[in-house]
Amino acid sequence: MVKVITYGTYDLLHQGHINLLKRAKELGDYLIVGVTNDNFDRDRGKLNVRNNVLERVEAVKATGLADQIIIEDYIGQKVDDVQKYDIDIFAIGSDWEGKFDYLNEFCKVVYLPRTEGISSTMLRAESSQIVKVGIIGCGRVAQRFPSEANVVSSVSVCAAYDIDPVATQKITDRHEDIKPYENIDDFYNAVDAVYIATPHLSHCEYIKKSIDRGKHVLCETPMSLNGKEAKELYSLAEKKGCILMEANKTAHCPAFNHLIAMIKSGMIGDVVDIEASLSQLLSNKDGREFDPLQAGGSLYEEGSYPLLPILKLMGINYDELHLYSRMENGIDIYTKGLFKYPKATCSFKVGLGVKTEGDLVISGTKGYAYVPAPWWKTDYFEFRYENPNDNKKFFYKWDEFGLRYEIQEFISCICNHRFSSARLRRRESICMAEIMHQFTERKNFFEI
Ligand code: CTP
């Protein structure tokens, strides 16, 4: 008996898939089809798959061509499967030509002709609403936005605006689909939604302008430095039917979300303490980050990241927060915050002029979670217990600049008319802005 194996995602099963399965089946007597698991697809950067793994397995089953269906979970599994199932032929579409030659060591590798003119990507694009996004503020952070948006479905970045046309050009020169605009009204006419990546103090004005024109807004963190203002902006957005989201990339990162979900489900018992740190020594002291008139300083610049695990796990109702800062030329080059909750303490450290170990430690009554530096781009964490045999390690992938996860959630909120994302609740974002304001007002503040 000749055994054949083939693999795929088989999302929105189409004629190309059916032809391929027929061709693979004709190569032998018994066909095994490997369908990729949802996590596996996400890990390899396929964020747009529509059908979940069960639906995709059912669709392959319905073709009647597979004698056996298995799930593909991890990189390297093909080598294991070929040996485990005693496979004679590995078959795959010609779009993979050469990519699986390494399997020749274990079985025959056949690249089958691909059906022209159809793919899951094409079907996803045809059936979805495309959200046209424009970039406001074309600096360093915004430069990373177009390539990240490219891997998310239902979004097209088509416009860029900056008060400095040279900055706009830096983006439009590298992306021919993005048109530069010098007139903001023309810019707004070309888009459904905006990504705001301007200096902190201009966020509020651009958010209001954008909402006023009925545009959805994804705004770089910190969205606002004032809780009252943040609250008003969210309610204004909802009144106008617009999505307003703070672009805190850690909040949307798959590993961070899994970490929070596991801790909430009791993996380390009751959380009693959180320590979160982040520091970045910048050599250029002339930048916006060091300018007190442009809301420079460590807390405004970096604070929303370490505040995230604290507010997500302990909530927004703390009893007290004390802030300790080393000030230099009108900005905090280092700030430490100390929270008292009814049954827990939490602390965070941020530094633009002081280097700290940038890790995250969450201590509970049964064990603790440890995320090494730089924890804010979480791709690995560990649960540690009294008995080291109980320790567990978890590994993930952080893709490129990590903006794709927040873009995907933003688009999903727009398409599903969801005003609030569970990954970063509006009340959590408002609380972050209140804490920034406490610092501005120098309340419970001590200079060191
Ligand atoms: N395939 C094919 N002809 C097509 C599309 C896919 O022969 N028009 C083959 C692929 O080469 C692969 C199998 O079908 O062997 C499963 O591919 P999959 O990646 O699931 O399908 P695509 O439509 O290519 O999906 P996507 O657009 O998401 O990459």
Side-chain angles (χ1 to χ4, degrees):
M1 182 167 74
V2 177
K3 282 177 120 181
V4 183
I5 199 163
T6 188
Y7 295 84
T9 305
Y10 304 102
D11 188 29
L12 305 173
L13 196 104
H14 54 69
Q15 195 56 43
H17 293 140
I18 296 171
N19 294 346
L20 190 284
L21 292 176
K22 272 189 193 149
R23 286 171 194 147
K25 176 102 177 166
E26 281 162 10
L27 293 173
D29 310 302
Y30 189 83
L31 176 65
I32 301 181
V33 180
V35 178
T36 49
N37 202 354
D38 296 330
N39 283 339
F40 181 60
D41 272 325
R42 217 173 294 132
D43 280 356
R44 63 194 188 118
K46 265 194 150 177
L47 298 177
N48 312 322
V49 176
R50 286 279 176 80
N51 298 135
N52 67 40
V53 63
L54 292 178
E55 293 165 333
R56 293 182 283 114
V57 165
E58 280 308 311
V60 171
K61 202 186 269 173
T63 66
L65 294 163
D67 295 292
Q68 189 177 346
I69 298 176
I70 59 169
I71 304 292
E72 185 181 22
D73 261 323
Y74 60 90
I75 299 174
Q77 186 180 323
K78 292 186 178 79
V79 172
D80 290 344
D81 287 345
V82 165
Q83 295 173 90
K84 181 167 150 194
Y85 297 105
D86 205 11
I87 297 299
D88 300 291
I89 299 173
F90 169 88
I92 196 104
S94 52
D95 45 325
W96 294 99
E97 189 79 51
K99 296 266 171 28
F100 293 103
D101 288 357
Y102 67 88
L103 288 171
N104 273 314
E105 190 184 330
F106 309 97
C107 66
K108 188 173 167 193
V109 175
V110 176
Y111 296 102
L112 292 166
R114 191 178 151 92
T115 307
E116 292 304 316
I118 188 154
S119 72
S120 305
T121 307
M122 221 172 91
L123 294 178
R124 284 191 291 260
E126 275 170 15
S127 63
S128 64
Q129 165 201 359
I130 301 288
V131 179
K132 288 182 279 171
V133 177
I135 300 172
I136 300 181
C138 300
R140 193 171 41 90
V141 183
Q143 312 256 347
R144 302 168 177 169
F145 191 82
S147 64
E148 291 285 311
N150 250 342
V151 296
V152 178
S153 62
S154 307
V155 54
S156 139
V157 183
C158 62
Y161 169 84
D162 194 295
I163 43 168
D164 174 10
V166 178
T168 315
Q169 216 183 336
K170 274 197 187 138
I171 287 190
T172 55
D173 276 356
R174 287 172 45 208
H175 302 276
E176 56 183 27
D177 299 339
I178 306 179
K179 204 173 153 198
Y181 287 87
E182 288 191 27
N183 178 310
I184 197 153
D185 291 315
D186 295 342
F187 166 86
Y188 278 123
N189 287 336
V191 301
D192 308 309
V194 298
Y195 167 61
I196 299 176
T198 55
H200 311 328
L201 293 178
S202 61
H203 286 173
C204 180
E205 191 190 329
Y206 279 121
I207 293 172
K208 278 189 178 155
K209 248 187 206 164
S210 305
I211 292 173
D212 206 40
R213 285 160 171 88
K215 310 299 170 188
H216 306 290
V217 177
L218 176 65
C219 180
E220 257 315 320
T221 192
M223 182 186 88
S224 166
L225 303 176
N226 181 317
K228 198 165 152 269
E229 177 188 271
K231 209 172 183 171
E232 278 167 17
L233 291 172
Y234 282 118
S235 91
L236 186 69
E238 186 163 345
K239 245 183 243 148
K240 286 273 192 174
C242 295
I243 308 301
L244 171 59
M245 190 184 275
E246 179 163 356
N248 183 315
K249 51 184 173 291
T250 304
H252 299 274
C253 148
F256 179 76
N257 276 292
H258 198 197
L259 171 75
I260 297 296
M262 282 198 277
I263 292 176
K264 283 191 187 249
S265 66
M267 286 283 287
I268 55 169
D270 280 349
V271 177
V272 176
D273 188 69
I274 300 177
E275 291 170 87
S277 299
L278 182 69
S279 66
Q280 189 185 20
L281 291 186
L282 295 178
S283 48
N284 175 16
K285 300 262 166 44
D286 299 326
R288 173 185 58 72
E289 294 85 352
F290 288 88
D291 182 356
L293 298 176
Q294 295 191 70
S298 309
L299 184 69
Y300 298 150
E301 197 56 31
E302 299 167 340
S304 49
Y305 292 101
L307 287 173
L308 181 71
I310 296 175
L311 300 181
K312 288 226 81 76
L313 287 168
M314 308 311 304
I316 59 171
N317 296 318
Y318 50 87
D319 299 327
E320 277 176 40
L321 166 62
H322 289 91
L323 298 168
Y324 304 85
S325 299
R326 165 74 67 94
M327 303 295 292
E328 234 176 67
N329 301 324
I331 62 133
D332 57 322
I333 56 157
Y334 173 78
T335 289
K336 177 167 179 156
L338 199 53
F339 285 93
K340 184 198 164 297
Y341 278 88
K343 291 183 143 232
T345 54
C346 298
S347 62
F348 69 87
K349 294 184 246 182
V350 282
L352 283 174
V354 173
K355 196 68 196 157
T356 63
E357 175 69 23
D359 58 3
L360 169 65
V361 182
I362 303 168
S363 307
T365 49
K366 291 185 183 155
Y368 70 96
Y370 175 69
V371 194
W375 71 268
W376 57 271
K377 46 188 292 204
T378 316
D379 61 1
Y380 158 78
F381 58 81
E382 212 173 319
F383 287 113
R384 293 181 179 167
Y385 300 94
E386 194 58 45
N387 178 355
N389 291 335
D390 296 334
N391 290 1
K392 285 193 182 69
K393 296 183 165 114
F394 296 84
F395 297 88
Y396 303 80
K397 202 161 156 250
W398 170 275
D399 285 301
E400 290 280 323
F401 303 116
L403 300 181
R404 59 195 62 192
Y405 313 110
E406 67 191 26
I407 300 173
Q408 188 199 19
E409 180 71 352
F410 179 54
I411 300 300
S412 156
C413 283
I414 294 174
C415 294
N416 299 303
H417 310 290
R418 251 191 306 128
F419 289 105
S420 175
S421 165
R423 298 194 191 155
L424 179 60
R425 290 281 177 216
R426 288 181 287 192
R427 58 175 179 271
E428 293 159 349
S429 158
I430 292 167
C431 183
M432 284 179 189
E434 276 164 3
I435 291 169
M436 305 286 173
H437 191 61
Q438 173 181 333
F439 176 80
T440 313
E441 298 274 286
R442 303 291 194 258
K443 276 195 195 139
N444 281 343
F445 169 84
F446 305 90
E447 199 171 331
I448 54 167

